[in-house]
C-alpha cells in the first residue's frame, strides 16, 4: 500500500511539475521578442519532438545557434517560415524556425535559452522516458536478424517533410536461399497518403557480415496528406523458400513528421517541389488576319509531385479571340531523385477581328522544398497583331481601278463607230468577270479546305481528349487498386494477430478503398454495401468483442476469409 501511494505521489508530482513548467514557459514568452515552445513536453526516447522558435523583431532576424542542442538531442531537420500580418495600418512580420529533435538520452532534458539579435528566449524542460532505440529514417536489423534466413531493411530520405511533398521510401529484402514463386512482399502503408512504386524490383547478390545473401530492392514515392507525426508500416513478407520452409517477417516502422502548408495562394493549390519549369511554343500563320488561328502549347514540368496535382495553365477567355482547349496530357516518369511529372495543354486561338490581341502572363506559384521558400514560374504576356484579310482587299482594289478606266475613256463622235465602242467595253469587262470568278472559286476552295481542316482538327482533338480521359480513368483505377491492396494487407495482418481494435480500424479503411465512390464511416455501411449474410454475422461478432471485456478471445481468421471471398468475387466479375 505504501509503495502504491509513493508511486502515485511521484507520478502526481512529476505531472504537476511538467504542467507548471508549461504554464511558466507560456507566461514568460507572452511579451518576449523571442519565444520557444514544444509540441509535446513529455515523450519517450523513441519519439521526436518539434521545437518552434519565433521572433517578432523588426528587420531581418539572424538564425539562432542550434549547436547548443547537440549535447542532448539529434537534430533531424529544420524549416524557416516567415508570416506577415496586418494590425490596423501596421505590418508585422514573424519569423519562425521549426526544428525536429530526437533525444539521445532519458531524464529531464533542458532546451537552453536561444539568442536572436541579442534577445533571448526562456529555457524549456522536456521529460524523456525509456531507453534509446534505433536512429531515425531507417530500421536497422538486429544482429539476430542479420543472421536470419530472411530479413527486411527499410529507409527513407527525409523524416520531416511538408504536407503533400515527396518522400522516397526504400525496402531491401535479404534472403539466403532462392524464394519460391508463391513468396509475396506487400507494399508499405501510411494512412491518408498516396504511395506509388517508383521502379521495378532490382535484384542482386551481396554479403552481410561475411554471409552471402540475395538482395531485392524496391523504391516507393510517398505523398503524405495529413500534417502531424505518423508511422509508416513496413512491408510484410510471407512465403516459402525452395527448401519448403515457410517464413513470415516484417521490416521496422519509420516515424515521420509532416508539416502543414507553408503558404497559400489565390488559386487554391499548393505545390511543394524541388524544381519547376514552365515553357510554351506557338505555331501560327504569318501574317495573322481575322478568322485565322494559331496553336499554342504550354508545358509544365515538375519534380516531386504527381501529374494529377499540377494546376491548369490556360486562360480561356479573351474579348478579341476564341480560345479552345484541344487537349491536356499528363505524363510521369522516375529517376534517382523521384517522380518527374509533366502537364501539357494544347490550345487553338482564333482571331475575331483586326487589332492588337494580348494573351495575359501566366504565373505558377510553388514552394521550393530545397531552398525552403516561395517561388514563381512565369511566362511573359504574348501580343498578337491581327491585320485585315488579303482576300477581302483584292476585289475592292480591282473594282475601283476598273471604274476609273471606264470613266476616262473618250466618248465617240461618229455614230458609225458606236457599235465598235460598245464591243470594246464589253470585251474589257470579260477579264474582270473572269478575275472575279477566279477569286470566288479560290475563296470557295479555301473555305472548303479550312472547313475540312477544322473538322479534322476537331476530330483529332476529340480523340486526344478521349485518350486523356481514358488514361486518367485507368490511372485513377490503378491508384484505388493500389490503395485497396495496401489496406487489405494491413487488415490481413491485424486479423492474423487477432487484434480486434486494429482490425476494426483497418476494416473501415479497406472498405473506403474497395468502394471508393461511397462514403463509409462505420461497419454498418460495410454490411449494407457487401450484402453478404456471413460477413454481417462476422462484423456483429467483431463489434461484440470490441465492446466486451473478452477482446483476447476474438479470432480474425473467419473475417479475413470472408473479405478474401468478397475480393475474389469482384475479380471474377461477380460483385
Amino acid at each position: 500500500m505504501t509503495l502504491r501511494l509513493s508511486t502515485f505521489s511521484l507520478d502526481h508530482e512529476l505531472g504537476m511539475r511538467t504542467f507548471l513548467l508549461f504554464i511558466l514557459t507560456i507566461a514568460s514568452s507572452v511579451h518576449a521578442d523571442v519565444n520557444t515552445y514544444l509540441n509535446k513536453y513529455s515523450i519517450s526516447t523513441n519519439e521526436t519532438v518539434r521545437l518552434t522558435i519565433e521572433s517578432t523583431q523588426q528587420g531581418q532576424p539572424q538564425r539562432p545557434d542550434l549547436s547548443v542542442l547537440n549535447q542532448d538531442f539529434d537534430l533531424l531537420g529544420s524549416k524557416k517560415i516567415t508570416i506577415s500580418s496586418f494590425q490596423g495600418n501596421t505590418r508585422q512580420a514573424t519569423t519562425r524556425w521549426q526544428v525536429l529533435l530526437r533525444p539521445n538520452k532519458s531524464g529531464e532534458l533542458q532546451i537552453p535559452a536561444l539568442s536572436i539579435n541579442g534577445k533571448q528566449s526562456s529555457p524549456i524542460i522536456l521529460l524523456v522516458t525509456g531507453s534509446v532505440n534505433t536512429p531515425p529514417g531507417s530500421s536497422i536489423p538486429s544482429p539476430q536478424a542479420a543472421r536470419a534466413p530472411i530479413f527486411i531493411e527499410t529507409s527513407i530520405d527525409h523524416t520531416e517533410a511538408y504536407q503533400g511533398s515527396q518522400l522516397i521510401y526504400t525496402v531491401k529484402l535479404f534472403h539466403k536461399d532462392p524464394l519460391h514463386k508463391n513468396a509475396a512482399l506487400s507494399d508499405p502503408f501510411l494512412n491518408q497518403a498516396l504511395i506509388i512504386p517508383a521502379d521495378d524490383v532490382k535484384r542482386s547478390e551481396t554479403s552481410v557480415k561475411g554471409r552471402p545473401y540475395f538482395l531485392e530492392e524496391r523504391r516507393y514515392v510517398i505523398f503524405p496528406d495529413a500534417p502531424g507525426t505518423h508511422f509508416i508500416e513496413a512491408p510484410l513478407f510471407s512465403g516459402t523458400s525452395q527448401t519448403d520452409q515457410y517464413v513470415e517477417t516484417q521490416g521496422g516502422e519509420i516515424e515521420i513528421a509532416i508539416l502543414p502548408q507553408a503558404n497559400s495562394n489565390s488559386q487554391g493549390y499548393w505545390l511543394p517541389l524541388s524544381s519547376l519549369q514552365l515553357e510554351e511554343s506557338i505555331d501560327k500563320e504569318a501574317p495573322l488576319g481575322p478568322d485565322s488561328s494559331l496553336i499554342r502549347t504550354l508545358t509544365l514540368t515538375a519534380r516531386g509531385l504527381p501529374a494529377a496535382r499540377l494546376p491548369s495553365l490556360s486562360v480561356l477567355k479573351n474579348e478579341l479571340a476564341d480560345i479552345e482547349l484541344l487537349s491536356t496530357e499528363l505524363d510521369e516518369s522516375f529517376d534517382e531523385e523521384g517522380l518527374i511529372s509533366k502537364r501539357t495543354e494544347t490550345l487553338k486561338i482564333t482571331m475575331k477581328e483586326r487589332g492588337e490581341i494580348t494573351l495575359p502572363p501566366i504565373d505558377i506559384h510553388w514552394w521550393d522544398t530545397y531552398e525552403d521558400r516561395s517561388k514563381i514560374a512565369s511566362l511573359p504576356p504574348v501580343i498578337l497583331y491581327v491585320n485585315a484579310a488579303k482576300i477581302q482587299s483584292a476585289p475592292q482594289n480591282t473594282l475601283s481601278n476598273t471604274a476609273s478606266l471606264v470613266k476616262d475613256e473618250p466618248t465617240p463622235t461618229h455614230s458609225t463607230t458606236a457599235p465598235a465602242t460598245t464591243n470594246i467595253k464589253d470585251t474589257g469587262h470579260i477579264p474582270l468577270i473572269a478575275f472575279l470568278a477566279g477569286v470566288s472559286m479560290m475563296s470557295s476552295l479555301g473555305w472548303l479546305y479550312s472547313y475540312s481542316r477544322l473538322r479534322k482538327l476537331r476530330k483529332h482533338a476529340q480523340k486526344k481528349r478521349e485518350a486523356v480521359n481514358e488514361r486518367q480513368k485507368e490511372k485513377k483505377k490503378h491508384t484505388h487498386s493500389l490503395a485497396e491492396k495496401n489496406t487489405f494487407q494491413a487488415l490481413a495482418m491485424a486479423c492474423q494477430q487477432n487484434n480486434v481494435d486494429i482490425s476494426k480500424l483497418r476494416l473501415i479503411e479497406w472498405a473506403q478503398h474497395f468502394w471508393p465512390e461511397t462514403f463509409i464511416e462505420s461497419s454498418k455501411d460495410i454490411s449494407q454495401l457487401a450484402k453478404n449474410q456471413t460477413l454481417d454475422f462476422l462484423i456483429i461478432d467483431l463489434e461484440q468483442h470490441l465492446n466486451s471485456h473478452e477482446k483476447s478471445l476474438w479470432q480474425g481468421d473467419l473475417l479475413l476469409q470472408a473479405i478474401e471471398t468478397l475480393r475474389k468475387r469482384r475479380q471474377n466479375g461477380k460483385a
Side-chain angles (χ1 to χ4, degrees), residues 283-340:
D283 181 14
K284 66 177 182 177
E285 300 176 4
L288 290 173
D291 298 328
S292 63
S293 61
L294 60 85
I295 302 298
R296 186 187 193 191
T297 303
L298 302 172
T299 303
L300 185 66
T301 305
R303 184 180 287 276
L305 206 64
R309 299 188 180 184
L310 298 180
S312 175
L313 309 175
S314 310
V315 179
L316 301 180
K317 292 183 179 180
N318 195 295
E319 295 181 355
L320 302 178
D322 291 327
I323 303 177
E324 179 186 1
L325 180 61
L326 297 180
S327 66
T328 301
E329 297 181 3
L330 302 178
D331 296 309
E332 293 179 349
S333 60
F334 295 92
D335 64 4
E336 291 301 319
E337 298 180 11
L339 181 62
I340 302 174

Side-chain angles (χ1 to χ4, degrees), residues 167-171 185-188 195-199 218-222 235:
L167 292 171
I168 300 179
Y169 183 89
T170 305
V171 180
L185 181 66
S186 66
D187 295 326
I195 302 178
I196 305 174
D199 40 32
R218 309 183 185 194
R219 289 196 314 153
Y220 299 83
V221 287
I222 302 179

Side-chain angles (χ1 to χ4, degrees), residues 14 18 21 38 40-49 72-74 101-111 124-133:
L14 193 58
T18 303
L21 284 170
L38 302 171
K40 293 177 288 187
Y41 287 83
S42 177
I43 63 171
S44 67
T45 52
N46 295 328
E47 295 182 289
T48 58
V49 64
D72 297 331
F73 300 92
D74 296 324
L101 304 173
R102 183 185 293 274
N104 53 31
K105 61 183 178 180
S106 58
E108 288 188 358
L109 305 184
Q110 183 185 68
I111 295 178
I124 302 176
I125 299 297
L126 173 66
L127 179 62
V128 182
T129 58
S131 58
V132 179
N133 205 340

Side-chain angles (χ1 to χ4, degrees), residues 86-106:
F86 288 88
Q87 296 181 354
N89 295 326
T90 305
R91 178 181 177 275
Q92 183 176 359
T94 300
T95 304
R96 178 183 299 165
W97 288 269
Q98 290 183 330
V99 186
L100 191 66
L101 304 173
R102 183 185 293 274
N104 53 31
K105 61 183 178 180
S106 58

Side-chain angles (χ1 to χ4, degrees), residues 40-177:
K40 293 177 288 187
Y41 287 83
S42 177
I43 63 171
S44 67
T45 52
N46 295 328
E47 295 182 289
T48 58
V49 64
R50 186 177 301 110
L51 170 66
T52 301
I53 310 165
E54 286 188 351
S55 172
T56 56
Q57 302 171 1
Q58 298 293 329
Q60 184 67 25
Q62 61 183 209
R63 179 183 172 88
D65 182 12
L66 302 179
S67 62
V68 295
L69 302 171
N70 291 330
Q71 181 177 354
D72 297 331
F73 300 92
D74 296 324
L75 276 66
L76 305 182
S78 63
K79 300 283 184 182
K80 178 184 176 183
I81 304 171
T82 302
I83 304 172
S84 298
S85 60
F86 288 88
Q87 296 181 354
N89 295 326
T90 305
R91 178 181 177 275
Q92 183 176 359
T94 300
T95 304
R96 178 183 299 165
W97 288 269
Q98 290 183 330
V99 186
L100 191 66
L101 304 173
R102 183 185 293 274
N104 53 31
K105 61 183 178 180
S106 58
E108 288 188 358
L109 305 184
Q110 183 185 68
I111 295 178
L114 299 173
S115 177
I116 300 178
N117 292 351
K119 299 289 184 178
Q120 283 192 334
S121 65
S122 300
I124 302 176
I125 299 297
L126 173 66
L127 179 62
V128 182
T129 58
S131 58
V132 179
N133 205 340
T134 57
S138 63
S139 60
I140 300 176
S142 62
Q144 293 79 8
R147 292 193 295 269
I150 296 179
F151 66 92
I152 297 174
E153 285 185 8
T154 57
S155 61
I156 200 165
D157 61 338
H158 295 93
T159 56
E160 183 184 65
Y162 281 111
Q163 174 185 356
S165 63
Q166 174 185 266
L167 292 171
I168 300 179
Y169 183 89
T170 305
V171 180
K172 294 182 178 180
L173 174 65
F174 296 85
H175 53 96
K176 289 184 177 180
D177 301 320

